[in-house]
Amino acid sequence: MAGNLHAVSARSNGPEAIIQQLFPKATRIGAKLSDFPVYPVYQLQQLLGYAYESTDLSDLPGFAGKPIKLMIGLDAEGRFSGVKVLDHHEPVFLHGLGPQPLLDFVSQYAGHSLTESFVLGHKPRAPGVNSGTVHIDGVTKATVSVIIINDTILSTALQVARSKLESFALPPAARVRETFYEPLTPLQLFERDYLQRWQLERPAVERALGQALDSYAPFNQSSGDGELSTQLFSELYFSYLNAPIIGRNVLGDGAYQSLMQSLGKGDQVIAVWSRGPYLHSADDFKPGSVSERLGLAQQDLAIELRDLNALDEGQLLELEGLPEMERVHLFRIKGLAGFNPAAGSELRLNVELSRNHLVRDIASFSHAFQFPPQLFELVEQASVPAAKSPIWLTIWQDRWWQVAILLASLGLLTTLFVGQRRWVTMGAWLTRTRWMFLTFTLLFIGFYAQGQLSVVNIYTLLLALYEGFDITLFLLDPVIFILWSYTFISLFLWGRGLYCGWLCPFGALQEMLSWLAAKLKIRQWRISPRWHRRGLWLKYLLLVGLVSTAFASLSLAERLAEVEPFKTSITLGFDRYWPFVLYALALLALGLFVHKFYCRYLCPLGAGLAIIGRLRRFSWLDRIDLCGAPCQRCRHRCGIGAIRRDGSVDYDECIQCLECVIILHDPGQCVAALQRRKQRTSSPTPVPAEGPQPLAPRLSGLPARPR
Ligand code: SF4
Ligand code: SF4
């Protein structure tokens, strides 16, 4: 036995030294157990707890495709003694924000118990008050990484607790009886205890808070309200929807089937209705999230209830024959949580009320319950599926509205591009629309939703194709995933221009600065055609250099990708070590003198897009025979210099701003149209009526030719 134990000394290296930091009182650290990969930690003969490496229990990949390796300490009571970061590849903590925010983030778990509910990303409203809910502050700009780390810590700790801590061991698990069904009304479900009720009266709440409810703002303002004059504080009805006799009767057969099919393996659903002055979710509750008010626990272990966002807004799932409810949610319990629906459980309601702007009082209430045993059949624990629902799905649910806005904007953009021959005749209106879109791109896609694509995404994709493609890695960031998918498809239709001219936040920022330069009448530098042509190759050289480095050393390539100013300017909003800020500002300043300097000569991402864009199927930009010979108007007006002397478009450089086609369709601007008008007015033969239509290339008799 002694051979398996390490006496702790100051000279310890490897895991023991880190475990010692997690358990300062440890006198002995056992070797990693063979039946379950944890290190037992002792103070003399007393077991203090267990330490383990997260990668032994979870292979959840981080944002860079590699798991984040943590050493986690869990004491014998199921309380975190600490979390240490052993290894990670998260780009934002390696080269962006630096390691400190990551260390600060993981330090928040120490001292908290698995019996508490962990809520990520909410600031505590009343620090120091124990309501059974732990608020873990997220890290702005690293949302995906911290969601992954939080999931890794909690899911692995739960596995250790279930396996090693007696008080967390599960009783025999149960599964629903699929054939147990008969049509029942909500009232009958209630009478048979399939639908349960929990009433909380005002006196009980007042006793717990130590204050009359009238002292709190929502109550003292509505003393005349009939409902508040009753004793009711909150009335909750809840039920276990996986049981067919409940789910089918509450939802209807079709909705029940589709709900069950939409769940991950082992997932369970609890429906909660409520009415009264204090509902089970706050008015600002975000669909798809965890309610700060409501909790579930089994064997004192908190179990996450996350809104499924499965009901339409305002849909109440009427409980005919029972009091009219004000709010209802369907909450999902993850399969991995090990919730046993047949065992006794506790519903918790956290009451938080403010007396004024400064003082808030909190009290926590719980209600023990058990669903009727006839709903279930017992199964051996080993056969209970414990698959976890994928974390990418949780992230998509959390960011659903960002996804919705992005998809709607991409739909609009597609409509605009598909019908561009119609829209370009609207001239200034289309130009204004593009400026509005660029503003949206910079503010929403760039600064808010962090949707700036980068050459690093190209490395990740190429490496994934080389080492074995796993789409879940790319699904971790829904905004980037959607933008990449959309951009990739658009490359085969319109070339690189749709992304570079409409969707790139840094590109939009540069265009805005060019606009400012024009307003300030800043004199533009003339770059000779020879140097311009040479300069265009620079970005391709950078791309080749970066991609080949990525195959040799990903971390070096990630550091070299700092040639892109995106992380400094868009991702971190210039909040970074000054040399990075100076570099980004210098590039933007150059853009004041040379239109989109960075895009034209340096951007490796733009180069990569241009290479793939060569496979585009169509050349949508109309040209006519007079373009280039002799007319040069569009060429001079193209800010990016993507029109050749012969009038043809260089699609490798074109950003699809559509300005040249707007000119072509504008009878007041297109030189060819002006010339024809002049000829017609001097001709003795009758001329067709003036108007925009005859000047459109396809109608004017001038051959339109995409070039
Ligand atoms: S060239 Fe680069 S910076 Fe410019 S718009 Fe394209 S991707 Fe963005
Ligand atoms: S003016 Fe025409 S050629 Fe130049 S970038 Fe815009 S769409 Fe492309």
Side-chain angles (χ1 to χ4, degrees), residues 177-207:
R177 289 173 59 197
E178 297 292 349
T179 51
F180 184 59
Y181 173 76
E182 64 180 295
L184 294 175
T185 65
L187 188 58
Q188 289 168 320
L189 289 172
F190 176 65
E191 285 164 356
R192 296 185 191 192
D193 249 9
Y194 299 154
L195 176 64
Q196 303 204 5
R197 179 175 61 187
W198 176 22
Q199 266 189 344
L200 199 53
E201 305 285 349
R202 289 172 62 124
V205 180
E206 288 175 336
R207 270 197 305 280

mmCIF file of all heavy atoms in Angstrom, residues 177-207:
data_model
loop_
_atom_site.group_PDB
_atom_site.id
_atom_site.type_symbol
_atom_site.label_atom_id
_atom_site.label_comp_id
_atom_site.label_asym_id
_atom_site.label_seq_id
_atom_site.Cartn_x
_atom_site.Cartn_y
_atom_site.Cartn_z
ATOM 1 N N ARG A 177 -42.479 3.813 -18.022
ATOM 2 C CA ARG A 177 -43.198 2.676 -18.634
ATOM 3 C C ARG A 177 -43.867 3.209 -19.894
ATOM 4 O O ARG A 177 -44.854 3.943 -19.830
ATOM 5 C CB ARG A 177 -44.219 2.126 -17.643
ATOM 6 C CG ARG A 177 -43.550 1.406 -16.480
ATOM 7 C CD ARG A 177 -44.546 1.017 -15.424
ATOM 8 N NE ARG A 177 -45.598 0.146 -15.945
ATOM 9 C CZ ARG A 177 -46.749 -0.072 -15.339
ATOM 10 N NH1 ARG A 177 -46.985 0.513 -14.182
ATOM 11 N NH2 ARG A 177 -47.652 -0.866 -15.871
ATOM 12 N N GLU A 178 -43.315 2.801 -21.021
ATOM 13 C CA GLU A 178 -43.764 3.341 -22.304
ATOM 14 C C GLU A 178 -45.214 2.991 -22.616
ATOM 15 O O GLU A 178 -45.911 3.719 -23.309
ATOM 16 C CB GLU A 178 -42.867 2.832 -23.448
ATOM 17 C CG GLU A 178 -41.416 3.279 -23.363
ATOM 18 C CD GLU A 178 -41.235 4.771 -23.589
ATOM 19 O OE1 GLU A 178 -42.192 5.436 -24.017
ATOM 20 O OE2 GLU A 178 -40.128 5.270 -23.291
ATOM 21 N N THR A 179 -45.683 1.825 -22.097
ATOM 22 C CA THR A 179 -47.035 1.384 -22.459
ATOM 23 C C THR A 179 -48.094 1.869 -21.469
ATOM 24 O O THR A 179 -49.279 1.598 -21.647
ATOM 25 C CB THR A 179 -47.081 -0.156 -22.519
ATOM 26 O OG1 THR A 179 -46.528 -0.629 -21.284
ATOM 27 C CG2 THR A 179 -46.260 -0.686 -23.685
ATOM 28 N N PHE A 180 -47.662 2.548 -20.435
ATOM 29 C CA PHE A 180 -48.610 2.976 -19.404
ATOM 30 C C PHE A 180 -49.290 4.266 -19.861
ATOM 31 O O PHE A 180 -48.720 5.352 -19.785
ATOM 32 C CB PHE A 180 -47.833 3.188 -18.098
ATOM 33 C CG PHE A 180 -48.706 3.529 -16.930
ATOM 34 C CD1 PHE A 180 -49.721 2.673 -16.519
ATOM 35 C CD2 PHE A 180 -48.524 4.712 -16.221
ATOM 36 C CE1 PHE A 180 -50.531 2.998 -15.443
ATOM 37 C CE2 PHE A 180 -49.323 5.049 -15.146
ATOM 38 C CZ PHE A 180 -50.333 4.183 -14.766
ATOM 39 N N TYR A 181 -50.500 4.117 -20.380
ATOM 40 C CA TYR A 181 -51.191 5.300 -20.913
ATOM 41 C C TYR A 181 -52.702 5.128 -20.852
ATOM 42 O O TYR A 181 -53.225 4.036 -21.066
ATOM 43 C CB TYR A 181 -50.784 5.557 -22.370
ATOM 44 C CG TYR A 181 -51.612 6.660 -23.005
ATOM 45 C CD1 TYR A 181 -51.361 7.999 -22.690
ATOM 46 C CD2 TYR A 181 -52.668 6.360 -23.869
ATOM 47 C CE1 TYR A 181 -52.137 9.009 -23.221
ATOM 48 C CE2 TYR A 181 -53.455 7.368 -24.413
ATOM 49 C CZ TYR A 181 -53.188 8.695 -24.080
ATOM 50 O OH TYR A 181 -53.960 9.688 -24.594
ATOM 51 N N GLU A 182 -53.400 6.150 -20.559
ATOM 52 C CA GLU A 182 -54.844 6.242 -20.779
ATOM 53 C C GLU A 182 -55.172 7.731 -20.892
ATOM 54 O O GLU A 182 -54.463 8.572 -20.317
ATOM 55 C CB GLU A 182 -55.645 5.602 -19.640
ATOM 56 C CG GLU A 182 -55.467 6.287 -18.315
ATOM 57 C CD GLU A 182 -56.261 5.628 -17.205
ATOM 58 O OE1 GLU A 182 -57.507 5.644 -17.278
ATOM 59 O OE2 GLU A 182 -55.625 5.121 -16.259
ATOM 60 N N PRO A 183 -56.185 8.081 -21.672
ATOM 61 C CA PRO A 183 -56.506 9.510 -21.798
ATOM 62 C C PRO A 183 -56.999 10.070 -20.462
ATOM 63 O O PRO A 183 -57.880 9.477 -19.842
ATOM 64 C CB PRO A 183 -57.626 9.536 -22.852
ATOM 65 C CG PRO A 183 -57.753 8.151 -23.365
ATOM 66 C CD PRO A 183 -57.073 7.218 -22.436
ATOM 67 N N LEU A 184 -56.404 11.162 -20.034
ATOM 68 C CA LEU A 184 -56.797 11.788 -18.768
ATOM 69 C C LEU A 184 -56.848 13.302 -18.944
ATOM 70 O O LEU A 184 -56.076 13.864 -19.733
ATOM 71 C CB LEU A 184 -55.768 11.469 -17.671
ATOM 72 C CG LEU A 184 -55.631 10.012 -17.225
ATOM 73 C CD1 LEU A 184 -54.485 9.877 -16.224
ATOM 74 C CD2 LEU A 184 -56.925 9.502 -16.585
ATOM 75 N N THR A 185 -57.737 13.939 -18.205
ATOM 76 C CA THR A 185 -57.778 15.410 -18.232
ATOM 77 C C THR A 185 -56.715 15.922 -17.256
ATOM 78 O O THR A 185 -56.263 15.177 -16.370
ATOM 79 C CB THR A 185 -59.150 15.924 -17.776
ATOM 80 O OG1 THR A 185 -59.312 15.543 -16.401
ATOM 81 C CG2 THR A 185 -60.272 15.347 -18.616
ATOM 82 N N PRO A 186 -56.336 17.208 -17.350
ATOM 83 C CA PRO A 186 -55.367 17.748 -16.381
ATOM 84 C C PRO A 186 -55.832 17.560 -14.937
ATOM 85 O O PRO A 186 -55.029 17.251 -14.058
ATOM 86 C CB PRO A 186 -55.297 19.228 -16.760
ATOM 87 C CG PRO A 186 -55.608 19.259 -18.214
ATOM 88 C CD PRO A 186 -56.628 18.175 -18.424
ATOM 89 N N LEU A 187 -57.150 17.699 -14.726
ATOM 90 C CA LEU A 187 -57.655 17.530 -13.368
ATOM 91 C C LEU A 187 -57.420 16.104 -12.878
ATOM 92 O O LEU A 187 -57.005 15.865 -11.741
ATOM 93 C CB LEU A 187 -59.144 17.891 -13.341
ATOM 94 C CG LEU A 187 -59.778 17.948 -11.955
ATOM 95 C CD1 LEU A 187 -59.058 18.957 -11.064
ATOM 96 C CD2 LEU A 187 -61.258 18.305 -12.059
ATOM 97 N N GLN A 188 -57.655 15.124 -13.771
ATOM 98 C CA GLN A 188 -57.427 13.723 -13.383
ATOM 99 C C GLN A 188 -55.935 13.462 -13.144
ATOM 100 O O GLN A 188 -55.570 12.721 -12.241
ATOM 101 C CB GLN A 188 -57.963 12.784 -14.470
ATOM 102 C CG GLN A 188 -59.483 12.762 -14.515
ATOM 103 C CD GLN A 188 -60.005 12.077 -15.762
ATOM 104 O OE1 GLN A 188 -59.462 12.242 -16.853
ATOM 105 N NE2 GLN A 188 -61.070 11.303 -15.591
ATOM 106 N N LEU A 189 -55.091 14.099 -13.977
ATOM 107 C CA LEU A 189 -53.637 13.942 -13.761
ATOM 108 C C LEU A 189 -53.269 14.462 -12.385
ATOM 109 O O LEU A 189 -52.477 13.866 -11.660
ATOM 110 C CB LEU A 189 -52.852 14.730 -14.820
ATOM 111 C CG LEU A 189 -52.857 14.201 -16.251
ATOM 112 C CD1 LEU A 189 -52.188 15.210 -17.180
ATOM 113 C CD2 LEU A 189 -52.137 12.862 -16.341
ATOM 114 N N PHE A 190 -53.881 15.577 -12.014
ATOM 115 C CA PHE A 190 -53.592 16.184 -10.721
ATOM 116 C C PHE A 190 -54.087 15.287 -9.577
ATOM 117 O O PHE A 190 -53.383 15.065 -8.590
ATOM 118 C CB PHE A 190 -54.256 17.569 -10.681
ATOM 119 C CG PHE A 190 -54.112 18.266 -9.375
ATOM 120 C CD1 PHE A 190 -52.857 18.654 -8.922
ATOM 121 C CD2 PHE A 190 -55.223 18.537 -8.592
ATOM 122 C CE1 PHE A 190 -52.711 19.301 -7.698
ATOM 123 C CE2 PHE A 190 -55.084 19.175 -7.372
ATOM 124 C CZ PHE A 190 -53.820 19.557 -6.934
ATOM 125 N N GLU A 191 -55.311 14.757 -9.754
ATOM 126 C CA GLU A 191 -55.876 13.917 -8.689
ATOM 127 C C GLU A 191 -55.043 12.658 -8.465
ATOM 128 O O GLU A 191 -54.984 12.121 -7.376
ATOM 129 C CB GLU A 191 -57.318 13.546 -9.039
ATOM 130 C CG GLU A 191 -58.268 14.722 -8.830
ATOM 131 C CD GLU A 191 -59.614 14.528 -9.535
ATOM 132 O OE1 GLU A 191 -59.789 13.512 -10.257
ATOM 133 O OE2 GLU A 191 -60.469 15.402 -9.378
ATOM 134 N N ARG A 192 -54.366 12.196 -9.549
ATOM 135 C CA ARG A 192 -53.549 10.979 -9.388
ATOM 136 C C ARG A 192 -52.089 11.292 -9.051
ATOM 137 O O ARG A 192 -51.243 10.424 -9.122
ATOM 138 C CB ARG A 192 -53.597 10.160 -10.671
ATOM 139 C CG ARG A 192 -54.988 9.651 -10.977
ATOM 140 C CD ARG A 192 -54.990 8.765 -12.174
ATOM 141 N NE ARG A 192 -56.360 8.507 -12.591
ATOM 142 C CZ ARG A 192 -56.687 7.591 -13.455
ATOM 143 N NH1 ARG A 192 -55.735 6.845 -13.992
ATOM 144 N NH2 ARG A 192 -57.937 7.414 -13.799
ATOM 145 N N ASP A 193 -51.807 12.556 -8.782
ATOM 146 C CA ASP A 193 -50.438 12.964 -8.417
ATOM 147 C C ASP A 193 -49.455 12.932 -9.580
ATOM 148 O O ASP A 193 -48.250 13.054 -9.380
ATOM 149 C CB ASP A 193 -49.877 12.063 -7.299
ATOM 150 C CG ASP A 193 -49.744 12.845 -6.014
ATOM 151 O OD1 ASP A 193 -50.241 13.978 -5.990
ATOM 152 O OD2 ASP A 193 -49.145 12.327 -5.068
ATOM 153 N N TYR A 194 -49.939 12.757 -10.797
ATOM 154 C CA TYR A 194 -49.023 12.815 -11.945
ATOM 155 C C TYR A 194 -48.637 14.274 -12.217
ATOM 156 O O TYR A 194 -47.592 14.567 -12.753
ATOM 157 C CB TYR A 194 -49.665 12.221 -13.205
ATOM 158 C CG TYR A 194 -50.041 10.758 -13.059
ATOM 159 C CD1 TYR A 194 -51.069 10.197 -13.817
ATOM 160 C CD2 TYR A 194 -49.362 9.936 -12.174
ATOM 161 C CE1 TYR A 194 -51.408 8.865 -13.692
ATOM 162 C CE2 TYR A 194 -49.698 8.600 -12.029
ATOM 163 C CZ TYR A 194 -50.728 8.074 -12.789
ATOM 164 O OH TYR A 194 -51.056 6.769 -12.650
ATOM 165 N N LEU A 195 -49.559 15.143 -11.851
ATOM 166 C CA LEU A 195 -49.303 16.577 -11.937
ATOM 167 C C LEU A 195 -49.322 17.068 -10.494
ATOM 168 O O LEU A 195 -50.292 16.825 -9.782
ATOM 169 C CB LEU A 195 -50.420 17.228 -12.752
ATOM 170 C CG LEU A 195 -50.423 18.735 -12.891
ATOM 171 C CD1 LEU A 195 -49.196 19.205 -13.654
ATOM 172 C CD2 LEU A 195 -51.673 19.188 -13.651
ATOM 173 N N GLN A 196 -48.239 17.690 -10.031
ATOM 174 C CA GLN A 196 -48.158 18.022 -8.607
ATOM 175 C C GLN A 196 -48.177 19.532 -8.393
ATOM 176 O O GLN A 196 -47.856 20.298 -9.302
ATOM 177 C CB GLN A 196 -46.889 17.414 -8.018
ATOM 178 C CG GLN A 196 -46.868 15.906 -8.231
ATOM 179 C CD GLN A 196 -46.006 15.166 -7.231
ATOM 180 O OE1 GLN A 196 -45.477 15.745 -6.295
ATOM 181 N NE2 GLN A 196 -45.899 13.861 -7.434
ATOM 182 N N ARG A 197 -48.531 19.898 -7.161
ATOM 183 C CA ARG A 197 -48.683 21.317 -6.858
ATOM 184 C C ARG A 197 -47.827 21.699 -5.650
ATOM 185 O O ARG A 197 -47.646 20.904 -4.734
ATOM 186 C CB ARG A 197 -50.145 21.632 -6.544
ATOM 187 C CG ARG A 197 -50.341 23.106 -6.190
ATOM 188 C CD ARG A 197 -51.785 23.453 -6.004
ATOM 189 N NE ARG A 197 -52.398 22.687 -4.925
ATOM 190 C CZ ARG A 197 -53.696 22.715 -4.652
ATOM 191 N NH1 ARG A 197 -54.512 23.422 -5.398
ATOM 192 N NH2 ARG A 197 -54.183 22.008 -3.669
ATOM 193 N N TRP A 198 -47.313 22.912 -5.701
ATOM 194 C CA TRP A 198 -46.584 23.468 -4.550
ATOM 195 C C TRP A 198 -47.064 24.894 -4.358
ATOM 196 O O TRP A 198 -46.922 25.720 -5.246
ATOM 197 C CB TRP A 198 -45.082 23.435 -4.815
ATOM 198 C CG TRP A 198 -44.252 24.069 -3.727
ATOM 199 C CD1 TRP A 198 -44.605 24.276 -2.430
ATOM 200 C CD2 TRP A 198 -42.923 24.568 -3.862
ATOM 201 N NE1 TRP A 198 -43.580 24.878 -1.742
ATOM 202 C CE2 TRP A 198 -42.529 25.064 -2.585
ATOM 203 C CE3 TRP A 198 -42.023 24.644 -4.907
ATOM 204 C CZ2 TRP A 198 -41.283 25.627 -2.359
ATOM 205 C CZ3 TRP A 198 -40.776 25.205 -4.668
ATOM 206 C CH2 TRP A 198 -40.408 25.678 -3.406
ATOM 207 N N GLN A 199 -47.663 25.122 -3.185
ATOM 208 C CA GLN A 199 -48.152 26.477 -2.888
ATOM 209 C C GLN A 199 -47.284 27.113 -1.826
ATOM 210 O O GLN A 199 -46.971 26.490 -0.812
ATOM 211 C CB GLN A 199 -49.575 26.400 -2.356
ATOM 212 C CG GLN A 199 -50.602 26.569 -3.435
ATOM 213 C CD GLN A 199 -51.996 26.719 -2.850
ATOM 214 O OE1 GLN A 199 -52.224 26.415 -1.694
ATOM 215 N NE2 GLN A 199 -52.918 27.185 -3.650
ATOM 216 N N LEU A 200 -46.903 28.320 -2.062
ATOM 217 C CA LEU A 200 -46.114 29.063 -1.080
ATOM 218 C C LEU A 200 -46.951 30.260 -0.646
ATOM 219 O O LEU A 200 -47.373 31.067 -1.481
ATOM 220 C CB LEU A 200 -44.817 29.519 -1.751
ATOM 221 C CG LEU A 200 -43.656 29.913 -0.862
ATOM 222 C CD1 LEU A 200 -43.318 28.825 0.151
ATOM 223 C CD2 LEU A 200 -42.430 30.186 -1.738
ATOM 224 N N GLU A 201 -47.197 30.323 0.689
ATOM 225 C CA GLU A 201 -48.061 31.391 1.209
ATOM 226 C C GLU A 201 -47.231 32.592 1.658
ATOM 227 O O GLU A 201 -46.068 32.452 2.040
ATOM 228 C CB GLU A 201 -48.868 30.874 2.410
ATOM 229 C CG GLU A 201 -49.689 29.622 2.130
ATOM 230 C CD GLU A 201 -50.938 29.913 1.307
ATOM 231 O OE1 GLU A 201 -51.260 31.098 1.145
ATOM 232 O OE2 GLU A 201 -51.567 28.955 0.821
ATOM 233 N N ARG A 202 -47.864 33.729 1.646
ATOM 234 C CA ARG A 202 -47.155 34.965 2.014
ATOM 235 C C ARG A 202 -46.553 34.918 3.426
ATOM 236 O O ARG A 202 -45.402 35.307 3.611
ATOM 237 C CB ARG A 202 -48.106 36.158 1.914
ATOM 238 C CG ARG A 202 -48.449 36.522 0.481
ATOM 239 C CD ARG A 202 -49.537 37.565 0.434
ATOM 240 N NE ARG A 202 -49.102 38.795 1.087
ATOM 241 C CZ ARG A 202 -49.102 39.976 0.492
ATOM 242 N NH1 ARG A 202 -49.521 40.101 -0.745
ATOM 243 N NH2 ARG A 202 -48.706 41.052 1.118
ATOM 244 N N PRO A 203 -47.276 34.402 4.464
ATOM 245 C CA PRO A 203 -46.680 34.440 5.819
ATOM 246 C C PRO A 203 -45.356 33.671 5.882
ATOM 247 O O PRO A 203 -44.413 34.109 6.544
ATOM 248 C CB PRO A 203 -47.754 33.783 6.696
ATOM 249 C CG PRO A 203 -49.026 33.996 5.938
ATOM 250 C CD PRO A 203 -48.673 33.934 4.487
ATOM 251 N N ALA A 204 -45.300 32.526 5.181
ATOM 252 C CA ALA A 204 -44.059 31.731 5.213
ATOM 253 C C ALA A 204 -42.911 32.530 4.612
ATOM 254 O O ALA A 204 -41.787 32.523 5.128
ATOM 255 C CB ALA A 204 -44.261 30.427 4.439
ATOM 256 N N VAL A 205 -43.205 33.251 3.541
ATOM 257 C CA VAL A 205 -42.157 34.035 2.878
ATOM 258 C C VAL A 205 -41.739 35.195 3.780
ATOM 259 O O VAL A 205 -40.548 35.490 3.943
ATOM 260 C CB VAL A 205 -42.666 34.557 1.514
ATOM 261 C CG1 VAL A 205 -41.594 35.377 0.821
ATOM 262 C CG2 VAL A 205 -43.090 33.391 0.625
ATOM 263 N N GLU A 206 -42.716 35.820 4.403
ATOM 264 C CA GLU A 206 -42.405 36.964 5.279
ATOM 265 C C GLU A 206 -41.546 36.517 6.459
ATOM 266 O O GLU A 206 -40.599 37.196 6.854
ATOM 267 C CB GLU A 206 -43.694 37.631 5.763
ATOM 268 C CG GLU A 206 -44.379 38.396 4.630
ATOM 269 C CD GLU A 206 -45.728 38.989 5.022
ATOM 270 O OE1 GLU A 206 -46.354 38.468 5.965
ATOM 271 O OE2 GLU A 206 -46.146 39.957 4.369
ATOM 272 N N ARG A 207 -41.857 35.336 6.993
ATOM 273 C CA ARG A 207 -41.050 34.829 8.125
ATOM 274 C C ARG A 207 -39.607 34.624 7.677
ATOM 275 O O ARG A 207 -38.663 34.999 8.369
ATOM 276 C CB ARG A 207 -41.640 33.500 8.625
ATOM 277 C CG ARG A 207 -42.694 33.658 9.718
ATOM 278 C CD ARG A 207 -42.946 32.362 10.454
ATOM 279 N NE ARG A 207 -43.313 31.263 9.566
ATOM 280 C CZ ARG A 207 -44.535 31.065 9.063
ATOM 281 N NH1 ARG A 207 -45.508 31.901 9.366
ATOM 282 N NH2 ARG A 207 -44.764 30.048 8.277
#
